[in-house]
Amino acid sequence: SPSDLLSRFNVGPPPADGDSSASSLASGVSGWCDPQDADFTDVSDEECIRYLLDIRNMLSIKPMASILSTGRTIKFKIYYRHNHTQAVMKVGQKKFILEPSSEVMAFHTDRVLGFNRVPPVAWAPVPIDFLKAAAASMDAFYAQWFQKFVLSFDQAKPLITPNCYIGEGERASVAGCLNVSLQLWMADVHVAEDTIVNPPRKYRAALELYNAEGGVGGVGDATKLAKMEEAKRSLESPKYHYAVGELANQFLFDFIIGNSDRWFGHNSFALGGCESDACLKSYAAKPWSKSRSSPRLAYIDQGSSFYGRSGPEMNPFTKNVGTLCRFNSHTAQNILDIIVAAPAEMEAGGKAAQKPGYALYKRIKDRLPKGIFYVCLLYTSDAADEEDSVDLGGRRIIKKKKTNEEI
């Protein structure tokens, strides 16, 4: 019954501000997350993912408001017991079956490319009973939506597993678990335009014009070119160099992962750098809401990535707008290191290693949880409303043509 589920697991309202503090750290807890530290390392990633995976660390689950009529997704927020830790949970569902897989894949791609802007993401089995009770805590409609679009959707069946992790080395038999993505909810995240990580207005206006009118090559080229030149001149001030470098890196990242749901002014977030009255009041009332890291863009919400082969429509790299992009040497060197793969890596790949991008593919694949490939190999264009699709297992599936084309 719902009451039994609620007694087994604190599903529903979030804890009070003081209930999830570092002082309540219990003995035997595995891992650790620090929402105020965005200077991610291999060690901090490993520790945080270990913490997010352990359901003994979870305090409560709450549905995040969504609107079915606008095509948005079902998702939850998990509140943890220690250090004010929270995580966003993405679930595979009708029309967005690769949502959790894309989040995990984007995290590992970010680390391989060396941007370190995606908060840690875990691929985690979570008890279905907990999720059903959490959905019911919203209302009957949300519970039915979850049942129909997730649990009863055929394409989501590979995400269901009979066992769930309790802690390190332990498994428990439960009614069933759903593999989901859990991304650490970082402190001090704001809309990028409201922070100091914000390029000059003329630069933003040129990007918006370029994206809206399809790049150079059509009517009004002279006007667009003039605005682009004006935008480049606006970058001469050193105070904008960091902001433009951050934005160019984000464009490049989204181009590589095929993220179709972010462009300048949409789904663009920054961590730190907020100086508004609201931010200052929040910092004073809740010291843990302020980041200890320097301001930077935060790559959040990559659930619409890896669905297609072509570049995102609103991304400047898709339209070759390189004259407006600047990169720091760190980014350039990371990309070159991946392109020029080590001889041993190329030899191990055989003929496949001769294909462009093999080194990047190999390094990402070696980091991924194996369960993701099982989900993606069973993914067909049905899940994307009959559109062509690319799965993370490396195969393009085109249902209408009844063929499989290796990529």
Side-chain angles (χ1 to χ4, degrees):
S1 68
S3 59
D4 291 336
L5 290 175
L6 290 170
S7 65
R8 286 170 52 197
F9 192 76
N10 230 354
V11 178
D17 287 337
D19 292 344
S20 184
S21 64
S23 61
S24 64
L25 185 61
S27 61
V29 67
S30 61
W32 182 255
C33 292
D34 188 349
Q36 293 178 269
D37 185 3
D39 296 311
F40 307 120
T41 66
D42 291 343
V43 173
S44 68
D45 284 343
E46 182 180 353
E47 286 295 304
C48 187
I49 288 173
R50 194 148 55 93
Y51 181 85
L52 296 177
L53 280 170
D54 193 337
I55 63 174
R56 295 173 302 180
N57 297 330
M58 299 177 185
L59 186 63
S60 65
I61 301 177
K62 181 180 180 182
M64 297 180 72
S66 300
I67 303 175
L68 179 60
S69 61
T70 61
R72 303 322 303 161
T73 59
I74 298 169
K75 48 183 170 285
F76 300 86
K77 182 183 281 190
I78 297 184
Y79 298 82
Y80 286 81
R81 296 184 181 277
H82 315 107
N83 203 31
H84 305 284
T85 301
Q86 303 172 30
V88 175
M89 178 195 297
K90 298 286 187 75
V91 301
Q93 57 203 276
K94 187 175 182 180
K95 297 185 179 181
F96 301 96
I97 192 62
L98 293 186
E99 184 96 358
S101 306
S102 295
E103 293 288 357
V104 175
M105 181 85 166
F107 162 68
H108 289 288
T109 303
D110 169 77
R111 294 305 190 264
V112 170
L113 293 172
F115 293 129
N116 285 358
R117 293 295 185 266
V118 177
V121 182
W123 176 257
V126 175
I128 291 175
D129 284 346
F130 295 173
L131 299 178
K132 291 172 70 173
S137 72
M138 172 74 80
D139 54 37
F141 172 78
Y142 204 98
Q144 293 174 14
W145 184 14
F146 177 72
Q147 178 67 43
K148 183 175 181 179
F149 275 46
V150 180
L151 301 181
S152 299
F153 183 52
D154 286 341
Q155 294 291 343
K157 296 297 173 62
L159 291 165
I160 298 176
T161 178
N163 293 315
C164 226
Y165 282 107
I166 294 294
E168 293 184 62
E170 290 186 63
R171 286 178 181 268
S173 178
V174 293
C177 303
L178 185 70
N179 281 309
V180 302
S181 67
L182 302 176
Q183 182 175 70
L184 177 65
W185 184 281
M186 298 300 296
D188 211 0
V189 172
H190 313 276
V191 175
E193 291 88 330
D194 296 336
T195 69
I196 62 175
V197 189
N198 194 21
R201 185 177 300 277
K202 290 178 181 178
Y203 178 82
R204 290 177 279 147
L207 279 179
E208 291 165 0
L209 176 69
Y210 199 91
N211 283 330
E213 300 189 14
V216 176
V219 178
D221 274 359
T223 301
K224 281 186 280 187
L225 286 170
K227 287 186 175 293
M228 289 170 66
E229 288 300 320
E230 189 177 13
K232 284 191 286 184
R233 287 195 296 273
S234 72
L235 302 182
E236 294 175 0
S237 172
K239 71 176 183 179
Y240 291 125
H241 290 179
Y242 179 74
V244 172
E246 283 284 293
L247 188 59
N249 282 348
Q250 181 174 271
F251 285 145
L252 179 59
F253 176 68
D254 286 339
F255 177 75
I256 290 173
I257 68 174
N259 185 7
S260 60
D261 195 33
R262 179 163 52 221
W263 53 90
F264 189 76
H266 175 75
N267 262 357
S268 187
F269 301 98
L271 188 147
C274 179
E275 299 176 324
S276 70
D277 290 340
C279 293
L280 295 176
K281 289 179 181 178
S282 176
Y283 298 155
K286 303 176 181 179
W288 61 86
S289 68
K290 184 175 178 60
S291 174
R292 295 192 302 273
S293 302
S294 60
R296 65 198 67 188
L297 289 183
Y299 303 169
I300 298 172
D301 195 358
Q302 284 80 229
S304 297
S305 308
F306 302 105
Y307 277 90
R309 175 180 285 185
S310 60
E313 182 179 350
M314 296 294 285
N315 190 296
F317 284 100
T318 303
K319 299 174 181 179
N320 193 25
V321 63
T323 55
L324 281 178
C325 297
R326 295 188 178 191
F327 298 96
N328 58 39
S329 58
H330 179 72
T331 297
Q333 190 59 54
N334 284 341
I335 299 298
L336 288 173
D337 288 345
I338 292 171
I339 293 174
V340 184
E345 191 174 23
M346 299 295 287
E347 184 177 348
K351 291 183 178 180
Q354 305 305 316
K355 296 182 178 180
Y358 172 78
L360 176 62
Y361 161 77
K362 176 71 165 55
R363 295 181 193 187
I364 296 171
K365 181 180 178 182
D366 289 347
R367 294 175 56 105
L368 291 175
K370 303 306 179 186
I372 284 183
F373 291 96
Y374 177 65
V375 171
C376 297
L377 284 170
L378 296 181
Y379 170 66
T380 72
S381 56
D382 290 338
D385 291 338
E386 303 296 331
E387 294 180 1
D388 292 353
S389 57
V390 176
D391 67 56
L392 304 188
R395 184 180 300 275
R396 183 176 179 83
I397 302 174
I398 308 175
K399 184 176 180 184
K400 294 179 181 178
K401 297 181 180 179
K402 305 293 184 183
T403 62
N404 290 328
E405 176 190 352
E406 292 287 346
I407 60 169

